[in-house]
Amino acid sequence: MWTTVECAGHPRDMGLAQGAAARTAIRAELERTDLRVKRSSMPSLRGLASGPFRGSGAGREFYRHFAHQAERLEGLATTADVPVDSILNLHLRVRAGGSVGGLLSQRASVRARTVGHDGAEKRALLERTLPQPTAGEAGWILRESRPAVGFRSVEVTLPWMVSAVAGVNEGGLAVVAGPLLWGAPGRDGGSPSLLLVQECLQRFGDVSGALDWCAKRPVEGEQSFVLADASGMTATVVVSGRERRIQEGEGELYLEGGELPGDVRSEGDPRVDAAEPAEAAPVSKGQPDRVWLDPEARRLQIDAAGISIDLGLMD
């Protein structure tokens, strides 16, 4: 069963709404990953000044360069009644990709195609498969974001995440993030590349503006993003470490990557015992779950386990 979360208002307000709606799943994910669940009863600003996450390194860069998403994260932690640093830690650790990225790194495909010709008939469509979570792992949710400033959007994300993984906004821009791949060791100073998805959805109504933003924001990871807009324009942004490679184009695009279900987790992975393979949750036979995005129609569609969910921004 899919959970739908509606978030509206200023960034903190949207985080408060998500934390309240997904509280059980968020707390379960922290317990599963051995992160602290109990929130301190004594408010303090020490974490921002000298804490191990917000006070230095990648956490400080997250708060510095992605202030709206940082405020959203604070709100989410508040109503989920969990430590801010635990939620921030979940966001930062996925930069390593591979098995450390959990569901965000599972094998998935991303497809873009342009149909029609120049003019009113030309349109771009995006698609991403949605792998099944391992046993006990938080699964996908649907979210509608209605920010006080910026574009409204419908998205697929995880209960604890402030950024979307795939979504389309009312301006006619769609963005899909591919799976996180293994990153080189020693990278720990930049924000997660996944934050680019939400930034683009909230700020831009076309591919051109979003590409300029993606090229300049200080993030790191090993991940590809596919963007499309209502005019039929498509583009790919490839993040490798802190480097970016951007390619514009149209026609057919197919990307596939990530960890296969049941792969053994790496040594030192805090999520599970490295000696045991991840146990996959039961899945239905047939086609994998997937999300479809139509920027021209401003629609998102989920096809999962024999059901179809259709959300539009022009209804």
Side-chain angles (χ1 to χ4, degrees):
M1 178 179 293
W2 280 75
T3 298
T4 301
V5 179
E6 296 183 6
C7 305
H10 296 287
R12 182 176 174 83
D13 298 327
M14 292 193 288
L16 290 170
Q18 183 172 338
R23 184 177 188 272
T24 300
I26 292 167
R27 295 176 67 86
E29 185 68 6
L30 292 181
E31 291 176 352
R32 190 185 72 84
T33 53
D34 294 326
L35 293 175
R36 184 179 174 186
V37 177
K38 186 177 180 180
R39 188 178 176 91
S40 174
S41 59
M42 299 292 291
S44 172
L45 296 177
R46 182 178 299 176
L48 289 170
S50 59
F53 295 105
R54 288 171 287 164
S56 62
R60 182 173 60 188
E61 292 301 291
F62 188 128
Y63 271 66
R64 178 184 176 189
H65 296 289
F66 298 92
H68 283 187
Q69 294 194 65
E71 289 182 40
R72 197 165 183 165
L73 186 148
E74 295 260 1
L76 185 151
T78 298
T79 47
D81 196 25
V82 297
V84 172
D85 282 352
S86 294
I87 298 296
L88 180 57
N89 194 353
L90 278 179
H91 284 78
L92 296 180
R93 64 169 57 183
V94 301
R95 291 169 304 160
S99 61
V100 181
L103 188 57
L104 297 170
S105 295
Q106 287 294 320
R107 193 80 175 175
S109 63
V110 175
R111 182 186 181 195
R113 57 193 175 98
T114 303
V115 297
H117 303 283
D118 290 338
E121 298 300 321
K122 181 182 177 182
R123 65 194 304 177
L125 302 173
L126 300 185
E127 170 194 345
R128 188 195 197 276
T129 57
L130 301 172
Q132 294 288 328
T134 57
E137 186 175 16
W140 306 104
I141 64 171
L142 283 170
R143 184 176 71 189
E144 180 180 356
S145 294
R146 301 194 301 274
V149 178
F151 291 105
R152 183 164 60 107
S153 57
V154 286
E155 312 142 6
V156 171
T157 187
L158 293 173
W160 52 268
M161 281 187 62
V162 294
S163 179
V165 174
V168 61
N169 70 17
E170 62 184 340
L173 176 69
V175 187
V176 174
L180 287 156
L181 307 179
W182 279 112
R187 292 175 180 158
D188 61 359
S191 300
S193 53
L194 262 172
L195 299 181
L196 293 176
V197 177
Q198 201 65 33
E199 292 284 301
C200 291
L201 290 175
Q202 182 171 336
R203 295 173 181 271
F204 303 102
D206 58 47
V207 169
S208 297
L211 288 181
D212 183 63
W213 188 262
C214 288
K216 296 176 180 177
R217 301 309 289 165
V219 298
E220 66 180 13
E222 297 290 333
Q223 191 171 27
S224 295
F225 302 85
V226 181
L227 299 83
D229 63 25
S231 73
M233 181 178 180
T234 61
T236 304
V237 178
V238 179
V239 179
S240 181
R242 298 189 183 184
E243 301 297 320
R244 298 318 127 77
R245 187 172 73 253
I246 294 175
Q247 182 175 349
E248 300 179 29
E250 59 181 45
E252 187 84 13
L253 170 68
Y254 183 83
L255 304 172
E256 186 171 359
E259 300 290 300
L260 293 171
D263 277 357
V264 176
R265 305 285 182 165
S266 66
E267 182 178 357
D269 185 339
R271 292 177 177 263
V272 294
D273 187 336
E276 298 180 1
E279 180 184 352
V283 298
S284 59
K285 296 181 179 180
Q287 294 296 318
D289 296 351
R290 64 188 68 232
V291 56
W292 306 80
L293 302 171
D294 184 341
E296 196 275 334
R298 279 74 163 173
R299 302 197 74 84
L300 176 153
Q301 180 178 316
I302 297 289
D303 289 333
I307 65 170
S308 181
I309 304 171
D310 195 343
L311 298 177
L313 293 167
M314 298 176 66
D315 296 338

